[in-house]
Amino acid sequence: MTIEIQSSSMDTEPADVYAELKERRPDLFEPIPLVIGQTPEQAEGYPNGSVAGWRNMESPDFIRVEDNGEPLVNVDHLNPPIFTTGDYFAKLGNSGYDTPLDGAPLAQYVRKGVGDKLTKVQELLPDNCRLVVFDAWRSLPTQQATYEMCYQSLVDKLIDEGVLASGEELTLEAKDVISVETQKFISLPSPLPPEAGQSEADRERARQIPSPHNTGGSIDLGFVIIEGEYLEHLRELEAIASAEEDPYSIRKAEANFMIAMIYRNHSRLPDFGTAFDFAGAQSALAYCETNDSLGAEARDSRRILYNAMVGAGFEPYEEEWWHFNDGNQMAETTKHRRTGDKGVAKYGNADLSEAQQYHERIHRQLFELLAAVAENPVAAQNIPEDLKKHGATPELVLDLSAHIGNPKETRSFIPTHDMKYRGDIPPELVLAISRAQGR
């Protein structure tokens, strides 16, 4: 199934880039519901993707965690493999970060059950569309770094816009208000990273409300449209990568890097209205359903992603069009509000296995070597010993580099943001802070 991408002139109305697909797959363009869980007892229902209060352990609606022990899996090793932009690792040159954040992996990991559902999502999308993962499992240090960045940037924005005075001391109540707004976009790490010195009692309590991304059950993603002449080659490479079971196979590595090259240079990321990690109201799941300021393509792109993801069993998140959940407390909270059935979260805190940590090291070494070789071919002589053990030679590295170019360069993805608050400040936030500051 092919999407006809139409061009448009600045002197005419923009063409509907999804016109052909709408005729073939109207199911993908169903509007995103604004409300879920309406019943006679709960007439107003809840906002779609609602998770408000999910960490309130005293609430009768609190969702318990009983981790089922499912391992994390690398999305590069799914069938077909899924390309990752690795923004927190600063993988691509247009990332919002100059250097990797603390604890950020190069590859992206999800629980096995999540990976199975992602394969189902890919089947629901048109043939020339492919998922792209921006972020998935997140270490606690990375969670801490992104939270602090978003929180401080919101404080700075409040000062710039005159809501707070420069140097004004914040009350505890004001800090809580700012933290709540920050956590619409980035949760507090739970538990805190080990170096934070959290007591064991507090850590044990925190493990009962684990950070959603740290569970491996939250994923940030979109999709791209592959240029037609590269689609068949992509299918061939996906088959090669999927058939190779050895994660250190030279053939698998070559196929995955070639797949990445097609994504980087021969795909199109549709307009979703905002970039990934835009912290502001425009990123909300259903924003385009009630506001046309971001345009029809953004509305339709969000609908396609939403309908494919929920069709495979994921739960959406109210504040971010790119964020979906499965198996963790956020997912079960939304599901409870949507269906009335209260379940148990099957994913708690998770970490990479020793084998995955080793693979991360090998993957980083090869990625960084290829980036260096693209700048200076002489770098192919400086192969780390770990890579040599897995069959890397200067000749193989130079040949791969000739095919893929610099793995950090891309023509297909718009520059992404760092995790700073860029949206308009809601009037209710201004009022809440003023009250908290005793004005």
Side-chain angles (χ1 to χ4, degrees):
M1 192 175 299
T2 302
I3 295 177
E4 293 291 339
I5 302 298
Q6 303 177 31
S7 61
S8 61
S9 167
M10 294 183 65
D11 299 325
T12 62
E13 288 294 317
D16 183 353
V17 299
Y18 292 121
E20 181 186 357
L21 183 60
K22 285 178 179 177
E23 294 183 6
R24 299 187 181 192
R25 293 289 305 280
D27 58 301
L28 291 175
F29 295 91
E30 289 293 321
I32 297 174
L34 302 181
V35 179
I36 57 174
Q38 290 176 302
T39 64
E41 296 76 23
Q42 185 71 30
E44 294 184 0
Y46 301 90
N48 193 4
S50 170
V51 298
W54 69 271
R55 278 181 157 167
N56 182 3
M57 296 174 65
E58 282 68 46
S59 168
D61 295 329
F62 178 70
I63 302 294
R64 295 182 299 105
V65 178
E66 293 180 5
D67 196 293
N68 68 357
E70 263 182 38
L72 293 168
V73 297
N74 186 338
V75 301
D76 277 347
H77 298 167
L78 299 177
N79 183 8
I82 298 179
F83 178 71
T84 63
T85 60
D87 288 86
Y88 297 154
F89 185 80
K91 175 181 174 181
L92 299 181
N94 65 352
S95 166
Y97 302 92
D98 295 327
T99 58
L101 297 182
D102 289 347
L106 173 55
Q108 296 298 317
Y109 301 85
V110 295
R111 294 288 187 130
K112 183 181 182 304
V114 175
D116 293 340
K117 287 186 177 180
L118 288 176
T119 299
K120 176 63 175 176
V121 175
Q122 188 60 69
E123 294 172 354
L124 293 174
L125 290 173
D127 289 347
N128 62 341
C129 290
R130 292 294 189 278
L131 291 175
V132 171
V133 170
F134 308 133
D135 183 47
W137 174 84
R138 196 179 292 163
S139 72
L140 294 174
T142 303
Q143 191 74 29
Q144 180 76 18
T146 51
Y147 172 82
E148 290 177 353
M149 184 178 296
C150 191
Y151 180 97
Q152 186 57 50
S153 68
L154 177 52
V155 172
D156 294 342
K157 190 175 182 70
L158 291 166
I159 293 172
D160 290 343
E161 298 195 8
V163 180
L164 294 172
S166 179
E168 180 178 356
E169 185 173 349
L170 295 174
T171 64
L172 290 176
E173 291 81 3
K175 290 179 180 179
D176 286 342
V177 170
I178 295 171
S179 179
V180 168
E181 180 68 15
T182 299
Q183 290 187 75
K184 289 181 180 178
F185 307 101
I186 191 80
S187 293
L188 272 167
S190 185
L192 296 175
E195 58 271 18
Q198 192 174 25
S199 72
E200 187 52 42
D202 286 344
R203 288 183 67 81
E204 185 56 37
R205 178 179 173 83
R207 290 187 188 100
Q208 299 177 55
I209 46 172
S211 302
H213 272 283
N214 187 245
T215 68
S218 291
I219 189 162
D220 300 331
L221 77 175
F223 65 87
V224 294
I225 301 166
I226 305 296
E227 293 177 9
E229 60 268 37
Y230 290 91
L231 186 56
E232 187 56 40
H233 188 204
L234 176 61
R235 291 192 186 105
E236 294 170 355
L237 292 168
E238 288 172 340
I240 292 171
S242 298
E244 291 287 330
E245 295 185 3
D246 179 5
Y248 304 104
S249 159
I250 293 294
R251 184 172 168 82
K252 187 180 188 72
E254 181 179 30
N256 276 325
F257 275 104
M258 291 293 291
I259 288 170
M261 186 276 295
I262 292 177
Y263 277 84
R264 290 187 293 111
N265 296 318
H266 303 293
S267 69
R268 173 180 176 265
L269 182 74
D271 182 11
F272 284 96
T274 73
F276 163 61
D277 262 0
F278 179 90
Q282 294 92 327
S283 293
L285 174 70
Y287 183 86
C288 293
E289 300 297 332
T290 59
N291 188 315
D292 62 5
S293 63
L294 300 182
E297 184 178 344
R299 179 201 64 206
D300 289 342
S301 298
R302 294 185 185 194
R303 286 179 178 179
I304 293 171
L305 182 65
Y306 172 87
N307 286 307
M309 292 296 288
V310 300
F314 284 94
E315 297 289 345
Y317 173 48
E318 177 184 3
E319 304 292 349
E320 296 171 341
W321 61 260
W322 58 79
H323 181 121
F324 291 83
N325 299 297
D326 180 60
N328 57 20
Q329 285 167 306
M330 268 193 170
E332 290 298 325
T333 296
T334 304
K335 184 178 178 181
H336 179 208
R337 291 171 181 173
R338 179 171 55 81
T339 67
D341 297 329
K342 184 178 178 182
V344 174
K346 60 184 178 181
Y347 300 145
N349 292 114
D351 208 347
L352 302 182
S353 67
E354 289 186 8
Q356 287 167 333
Q357 293 177 47
Y358 176 75
H359 186 267
E360 268 290 305
R361 186 167 83 245
I362 298 298
H363 189 186
R364 291 184 188 200
Q365 288 178 352
L366 182 55
F367 184 87
E368 291 164 359
L369 177 61
L370 288 168
V373 169
E375 299 294 327
N376 182 2
V378 175
Q381 303 299 320
N382 303 321
I383 299 177
E385 290 301 317
D386 283 340
L387 290 181
K388 290 180 180 178
K389 294 176 184 176
H390 293 287
T393 66
E395 294 75 22
L396 285 172
V397 171
L398 286 169
D399 182 63
L400 182 55
S401 180
H403 284 91
I404 70 166
N406 189 332
K408 293 183 70 67
E409 292 180 353
T410 176
R411 298 202 311 265
S412 298
F413 297 95
I414 60 175
T416 57
H417 299 300
D418 51 19
M419 180 42 78
K420 292 183 180 178
Y421 196 99
R422 287 180 167 82
D424 298 331
I425 297 178
E428 59 270 23
L429 177 62
V430 175
L431 180 61
I433 290 175
S434 295
R435 288 173 175 170
Q437 289 293 92
R439 295 179 188 144

